[in-house]
Amino acid sequence: MLGFIHLWQDDYPRAISYFQDTLSQAKLYRYKHHMAISLAQLSYIYSGTDRIDLAQKLAKQALAVARKTDNAFFQLHH
């Protein structure tokens, strides 16, 4: 949630830091749902900072992870 709070305050460096930390933890514990969300949020942030190349890469990673999860939300929006 801290990543979202900093994102809503347009504090991109801190938001990126929190989403990267969450992504690292999610990878460690294999929480695909949180991996997909973190990747998607990082993609969103980087698209707003004109890092379109990185944003697209992260968005593709988020989609690939989301497709491998059993989360009903991702299945409905797939």
Side-chain angles (χ1 to χ4, degrees):
M1 287 309 299
L2 290 172
F4 285 108
I5 290 167
H6 290 291
L7 177 59
W8 296 330
Q9 295 174 346
D10 294 328
D11 185 351
Y12 293 144
R14 289 183 79 183
I16 288 169
S17 176
Y18 281 112
F19 283 119
Q20 287 176 334
D21 287 347
T22 301
L23 179 59
S24 294
Q25 291 294 313
K27 285 181 180 179
L28 179 66
Y29 294 105
R30 297 186 180 119
Y31 294 153
K32 291 180 182 174
H33 173 85
H34 295 297
M35 288 171 59
I37 289 171
S38 295
L39 288 163
Q41 287 307 124
L42 286 166
S43 172
Y44 174 77
I45 293 168
Y46 283 116
S47 70
T49 61
D50 293 328
R51 295 286 314 273
I52 302 303
D53 56 331
L54 182 55
Q56 288 177 334
K57 177 182 173 184
L58 292 167
K60 288 177 184 178
Q61 289 176 6
L63 183 58
V65 171
R67 286 181 172 159
K68 294 177 185 175
T69 184
D70 292 328
N71 185 290
F73 177 81
F74 292 138
Q75 297 304 320
L76 289 172
H77 294 89
H78 180 239

